[in-house]
Amino acid sequence: MKYGSAVQGALKTAILLGGLLGLLAGCGGGSSGNPGNQPGNVNGGNTSQAVTLSGTVSGGANVFVDSDVNDPETSYVTNDTPDQAQSIPNPVMLGGYLNKANTGPAGPLFATGDRSDFFRVSLAANQNVTVNIADSDTGDFDLYIYFDDGSIDLFDPDFISEGVGQTETLTVPQDGDYLIEVYAFSGYSNYALVIGQGIASISTDRLVSTDNFVPGEVIVRFNETLLPLSMTRTPATLAATVGLQSKAGDTGRAMLMELDRTGGLTVQGASTNQTTTQGRRFRSPDPEKQLKMDTLRTIKLLRKRNDIRYAEPNFIRQPLQVPTDSYYGLQWHYPFINLPTAWDVSTGSPTVIVAVIDTGILLNHPDLQGQFSSDGGYDFILDDNISQDNEPGIDANADDPGDSRIGSSSFHGTHVAGTIAAASSFGGGGSGVAGVAPGVKIMPLRVLGNGGGTGYDILQGVRYAAGLSNDSGTIPPQKADVINLSLGGPGGSQAAQDVYTQARNAGVIIVAAAGNSNVSDPFYPAAYNGVISVSALDMNKQRAPYSNFGTTIDVAAPGGDTSQDLNGDGYPDGVLSTVGDDSGGNIDYVFKFLQGTSMASPHMAGVVALMKSVNGNLTPDDIDNLLVRGQIVEDLGTAGRDDQFGYGMIDARKAVDAATALAQGSNPDNPVISASPASLNFGNSSTSTPLSIVNGGTGALSIVSISTSASWLAVTPVNVDAGTQLGSYQVTVDRSGLATGIYTANITITSTSNTVSIPVIQRVGGQGTNINAGYQYILLVDEATGNIVDQWEGPPQNGEYNFVFNNVTFDNGKTYFIFAGTDQNNDGFICDAGETCGAYVSLAQPISIKDSSNNIGLDFSSGFTTGLQSLSAPGTGIQSQAIRRKQTKEIP
């Protein structure tokens, strides 16, 4: 929304996808030749001078590794029994590896196997323990939790999660010390163990002993086309073939069956005609508990038969009070901007269209089905070397075929689209994630591919979205109301400014990412006149460390910071949305946490779409005026506009109410207290963190009281309004005098309108503070060929990895990437699913190194790129990048 002289420059304004992931430089842009002469980002020339590259790799938030993995280079400490249990912190994201004997890659565990990993940890009530299995095709793992009372009975765990899918999840009922066992029922795989507050990943295949179901009963549906033609097909005979007894139902549909309580637990194998029994029989002294265990194990074995379509517990259901999408609880960034209260007014109208001009979109992602505009979008990539979609020139197919030459593709546009309008359920039965405006439609426009995209192609996408003439020779039946541009680079163009002005004059509201170079220089297209520039916030409502700033910033929105886990849910504080994983050849549909101004921009675009849904006459000028007057934002930083946050953080409820007021000439009162973060994690070293308390609605509201449930927890005002007591607070914890253990408490905020409670967790003593991202392989990779030029490897030193590459040359304009990761399964690749992975400057912003002088300070982090699998389509569960490492010795 800037108005001044347009910056002259080259037409290529958004070309920077930067390499490994093909992800538009930093999810919102970055640049080769970044302003500020940042390390590794100045132009190199033709030179044979040898230089040194060095830096430090640090682990991600709460990252730890299993102490007995299959990489022979690691320090091996067995944790196969309760007495050998590995102590771990809470919260944590831990990478591990398990295998049955003689399965999996060669290595020290191949012949003997490693079927159990035990972990000792203090847990708090209602925390979630989740195992994400990297490859459920090769491994079937189960999860058990035991009360650590000194007498562990391996045949009688206290809580059981047994399934055949990619995720096992349990919820802790009470505070205490526990043992966690991850067990390989069959096969081999990497896995990620996640412990945290809030919702955990949910698997449709999980079998949990604490679920409410009828013990001894199983709902079974046969795949009758696979049964022998000679078989007598009655309920009784079919039940007998699997060792069960018929209770209700009939052939051709689901039947209710009972376990034979007089005999052992057996299930007849369909393929071998041999009776198979469970690998470990549980013998609980409690007959009811034993029957529930037997029921779950029977279902597990039935699900492995190819003649069974499905086998399920006979669940006891209760009325549903507060339905949500499965992973909505991990989308901290929505309550952050008061989105839930905005949904009380509108979840979006299908007559509103948001154009996502990006890498295209995975049109078959389950959480985006039914969310696209009727025109179907367009692919404007002219250069086939960039497009790589096997369709010469531009075409009407905006599906994203992938953009990577190394590892997994970015599927950047899919992540952006999911934030704007992923399908969401407000009436129960929802899966996946929620979108900001799930009721609106997405217009997918592909302009970015392998290596980025040209400014010309991007402008064709803008013209199409705005209903202007373009190279496709067509215009959509309905132009877009909003355009999102999570892309960019330095250097402006008069040609581009003219197009954005035309689009704005056509009534289109244009939103763009401010860039991720942590500089104040103008970044385009966000810096063009008439474009809303969005900077990124972390969970503390501070400018994210990567986000650009400066005079061109208009508004701020959540972009995340994956180096933190401030709310203690066990996952990095990135933005969770839809994405794909093509590292295995096929595209799996998953959900992943990313950070960047690319993630912030679609929050703003989605809120604008909600505003258009309640006021179809809303214009770009209206949005500008509401921003300038501070009517749709929470003011952050200095009063009024500043260079960090623009006019402030977008507030979805204020925005929807302001748009409604413009349409109706009224502004209804609906005050509601809102606090962020919604939960707090202090780990065992942090002592203070900020807390923001605001009026998330409209009308008068003031705080009546703020109390804590523990003497070690305090909340003090920092910058609050004298009348309402709304504003910024500091939360502190005092560990003096507290014994070693996990402590939980609540902050209760009571206002004249409503009351909110914020859960708090801290740890005293126990596991050290240094993270352990495992034995890291840090690779220097030739950008052009993908070949490994050099490799540093080693264990952590005080939680860090200090690498050096000597004698690096930049002959003939060579450029390099630096990647890091573990190889827990010892298959010769780092960054497999379930292994740590990182890139300079980040996986979301891999930047090529072009400098021909010595480079120091090439610092970045290596953590888990854990995604969450689709609940309605195949998925890997854990995002994979799969980069071959340089083996220094033969694998044993």
Side-chain angles (χ1 to χ4, degrees):
M1 54 180 281
K2 282 65 59 183
Y3 290 93
S5 61
V7 177
Q8 301 294 323
L11 185 59
K12 288 188 174 182
T13 61
I15 323 212
L16 305 163
L17 277 185
L20 168 69
L21 301 181
L23 188 61
L24 180 70
C27 293
S31 171
S32 54
N34 272 341
N37 194 27
Q38 298 183 66
N41 286 280
V42 299
N43 294 327
N46 295 328
T47 176
S48 59
Q49 178 184 1
V51 302
T52 297
L53 307 179
S54 65
T56 298
V57 172
S58 57
N62 303 322
V63 168
F64 273 76
V65 293
D66 171 20
S67 62
D68 60 351
V69 296
N70 199 39
D71 184 351
E73 301 297 332
T74 64
S75 299
Y76 186 89
V77 180
T78 184
N79 59 0
D80 298 348
T81 67
D83 291 342
Q84 301 166 334
Q86 177 182 349
S87 295
I88 59 175
N90 174 14
V92 72
M93 180 176 285
L94 177 143
Y97 175 80
L98 288 174
N99 70 305
K100 285 187 65 175
N102 300 310
T103 67
L109 299 178
F110 176 78
T112 60
D114 178 18
R115 296 193 69 175
S116 287
D117 283 338
F118 280 89
F119 303 98
R120 178 171 283 108
V121 63
S122 295
L123 301 172
N126 299 315
Q127 282 196 287
N128 297 293
V129 179
T130 301
V131 173
N132 292 299
I133 303 162
D135 191 344
S136 59
D137 291 331
T138 64
D140 179 5
F141 294 179
D142 297 320
L143 173 65
Y144 307 105
I145 297 181
Y146 308 82
F147 286 115
D148 188 8
D149 58 1
S151 58
I152 302 300
D153 182 357
L154 295 181
F155 295 103
D156 189 16
D158 298 286
F159 311 102
I160 301 171
S161 179
E162 297 181 329
V164 295
Q166 294 161 313
T167 305
E168 305 288 349
T169 303
L170 291 169
T171 300
V172 179
Q174 64 189 57
D175 296 357
D177 295 329
Y178 293 86
L179 283 183
I180 295 171
E181 180 186 11
V182 185
Y183 174 71
F185 180 82
S186 63
Y188 64 93
S189 179
N190 290 323
Y191 67 87
L193 174 68
V194 181
I195 301 174
Q197 301 184 90
I199 188 171
S201 54
I202 298 172
S203 170
T204 54
D205 294 316
R206 76 174 196 158
L207 299 171
V208 181
S209 61
T210 53
D211 282 345
N212 192 13
F213 61 88
V214 180
E217 294 186 0
V218 182
I219 297 174
V220 180
R221 174 70 191 274
F222 278 82
N223 189 344
E224 298 188 13
T225 60
L226 298 180
L227 295 175
L229 295 176
S230 59
M231 176 181 289
T232 302
R233 303 187 185 189
T234 66
T237 56
L238 288 177
T241 63
V242 292
L244 302 175
Q245 298 173 344
S246 174
K247 185 172 183 179
D250 205 347
T251 57
R253 55 186 174 90
M255 292 179 282
L256 184 63
M257 298 183 180
E258 288 185 302
L259 274 65
D260 181 357
R261 307 187 187 192
T262 62
L265 175 60
T266 62
V267 171
Q268 191 74 10
S271 59
T272 62
N273 288 326
Q274 298 295 319
T275 297
T276 59
T277 61
Q278 68 179 52
R280 55 162 60 168
R281 281 297 308 276
F282 294 131
R283 299 187 298 272
S284 174
D286 182 344
E288 185 80 357
K289 183 177 179 181
Q290 180 64 55
L291 184 57
K292 293 190 78 172
M293 292 178 181
D294 289 346
T295 304
L296 297 182
R297 185 51 58 88
T298 297
I299 294 170
K300 184 179 180 72
L301 294 174
L302 287 171
R303 288 180 176 181
K304 293 184 177 295
R305 291 174 55 112
N306 58 10
D307 61 354
I308 297 295
R309 183 175 297 179
Y310 55 79
E312 302 172 347
N314 190 10
F315 289 107
I316 300 171
R317 300 300 191 188
Q318 304 293 337
L320 187 63
Q321 299 297 324
V322 186
T324 63
D325 293 86
S326 306
Y327 300 140
Y328 170 69
L330 295 174
Q331 294 180 285
W332 58 269
H333 34 100
Y334 289 166
F336 194 80
I337 59 171
N338 289 323
L339 185 57
T341 59
W343 285 333
D344 291 339
V345 180
S346 175
T347 57
S349 167
T351 63
V352 174
I353 295 176
V354 181
V356 174
I357 300 179
D358 214 292
T359 63
I361 297 174
L362 290 172
L363 301 180
N364 291 320
H365 197 294
D367 222 16
L368 294 173
Q369 296 305 293
Q371 301 301 99
F372 299 112
S373 57
S374 61
D375 65 287
Y378 213 88
D379 181 349
F380 282 101
I381 301 178
L382 192 60
D383 188 335
D384 295 339
N385 292 321
I386 296 175
S387 180
Q388 295 190 336
D389 61 357
N390 298 317
E391 298 181 43
I394 66 175
D395 57 74
N397 182 6
D399 195 42
D400 187 349
D403 54 21
S404 176
R405 292 168 296 176
I406 308 172
S408 176
S409 296
S410 71
F411 299 108
H412 184 267
T414 302
H415 198 280
V416 169
T419 297
I420 295 171
S424 306
S425 174
F426 295 90
S431 64
V433 295
V436 172
V440 308
K441 298 300 182 183
I442 294 291
M443 178 187 290
L445 296 172
R446 186 168 184 251
V447 299
L448 304 172
N450 183 27
T454 68
Y456 182 84
D457 293 348
I458 293 167
L459 294 184
Q460 296 309 302
V462 173
R463 296 185 66 86
Y464 180 94
L468 305 173
S469 62
N470 60 85
D471 285 359
S472 73
T474 64
I475 59 174
Q478 179 184 340
K479 67 177 176 62
D481 298 279
V482 185
I483 290 175
N484 185 87
L485 293 154
S486 289
L487 47 78
S493 158
Q494 184 62 54
Q497 177 66 77
D498 290 347
V499 171
Y500 290 115
T501 299
Q502 292 177 58
R504 180 186 172 97
N505 290 341
V508 181
I509 301 164
I510 308 168
V511 182
N516 297 334
S517 300
N518 188 28
V519 295
S520 62
D521 303 312
F523 187 86
Y524 298 90
Y528 284 121
N529 296 337
V531 177
I532 299 172
S533 175
V534 188
S535 64
L537 300 173
D538 63 17
M539 196 181 286
N540 276 323
K541 292 189 179 179
Q542 299 296 315
R543 180 175 64 87
Y546 52 80
S547 179
N548 284 1
F549 52 97
T551 59
T552 63
I553 303 299
D554 297 310
V555 70
D561 182 352
T562 56
S563 69
Q564 297 182 334
D565 179 19
L566 186 63
N567 62 357
D569 63 2
Y571 293 94
D573 293 342
V575 171
L576 181 64
S577 186
T578 48
V579 77
D581 175 17
D582 62 355
S583 60
N586 297 320
I587 297 176
D588 292 322
Y589 303 112
V590 298
F591 305 89
K592 187 178 177 183
F593 300 89
L594 292 179
Q595 68 175 23
T597 55
S598 275
M599 286 62 255
S601 182
H603 282 81
M604 180 62 184
V607 171
V608 173
L610 291 179
M611 297 173 72
K612 287 286 290 188
S613 297
V614 298
N615 184 350
N617 295 320
L618 201 69
T619 68
D621 285 342
D622 290 333
I623 298 293
D624 291 352
N625 292 332
L626 291 171
L627 271 173
V628 170
R629 292 198 297 263
Q631 291 181 258
I632 62 174
V633 295
E634 176 189 341
D635 195 4
L636 302 177
T638 58
R641 197 206 162 276
D642 59 65
D643 289 351
Q644 303 292 313
F645 314 107
Y647 292 97
M649 181 187 72
I650 187 64
D651 185 306
R653 180 55 189 258
K654 286 184 178 180
V656 170
D657 285 344
T660 302
L662 282 178
Q664 301 178 351
S666 63
N667 195 5
D669 286 347
N670 186 22
V672 58
I673 201 76
S674 177
S676 61
S679 59
L680 293 173
N681 160 42
F682 286 90
N684 70 349
S685 59
S686 296
T687 58
S688 66
T689 192
L691 176 69
S692 174
I693 307 175
V694 299
N695 182 353
T698 57
L701 174 148
S702 61
I703 294 177
V704 176
S705 65
I706 300 177
S707 61
T708 66
S709 62
S711 59
W712 49 262
L713 180 64
V715 182
T716 55
V718 175
N719 184 16
V720 303
D721 179 84
T724 65
Q725 296 299 301
L726 297 172
S728 300
Y729 289 79
Q730 195 76 9
V731 182
T732 57
V733 296
D734 181 5
R735 295 183 177 85
S736 59
L738 296 179
T740 298
I742 294 290
Y743 291 83
T744 60
N746 289 281
I747 300 170
T748 301
I749 306 167
T750 302
S751 75
T752 52
S753 177
N754 65 307
T755 298
V756 297
S757 180
I758 301 173
V760 179
I761 187 171
Q762 70 155 325
R763 186 170 70 248
V764 177
Q767 183 71 36
T769 60
N770 285 337
I771 58 88
N772 182 357
Y775 191 92
Q776 291 285 312
Y777 297 89
I778 303 176
L779 314 180
L780 183 67
V781 179
D782 187 312
E783 179 181 6
T785 66
N787 294 331
I788 298 173
V789 176
D790 201 354
Q791 174 173 301
W792 182 99
E793 61 183 82
Q797 300 294 326
N798 297 319
E800 296 181 335
Y801 307 81
N802 299 309
F803 68 90
V804 176
F805 296 125
N806 294 311
N807 301 317
V808 180
T809 62
F810 290 84
D811 305 60
N812 302 315
K814 275 185 176 292
T815 57
Y816 301 94
F817 290 119
I818 300 178
F819 305 123
T822 54
D823 184 19
Q824 293 158 194
N825 57 10
N826 202 41
D827 67 350
F829 288 83
I830 65 170
C831 296
D832 277 328
E835 296 174 345
T836 62
C837 191
Y840 176 77
V841 289
S842 73
L843 279 175
Q845 186 183 2
I847 291 181
S848 56
I849 299 172
K850 297 177 169 64
D851 196 356
S852 59
S853 62
N854 283 11
N855 283 266
I856 61 175
L858 302 176
D859 302 338
F860 61 98
S861 64
S862 178
F864 291 103
T865 55
T866 299
L868 305 171
Q869 82 271 17
S870 168
L871 300 186
S872 54
T876 60
I878 304 178
Q879 194 81 353
S880 172
Q881 308 301 333
I883 306 166
R884 181 175 293 278
R885 66 177 171 89
K886 185 177 181 181
Q887 298 173 27
T888 56
K889 61 174 69 176
E890 292 295 321
I891 296 177

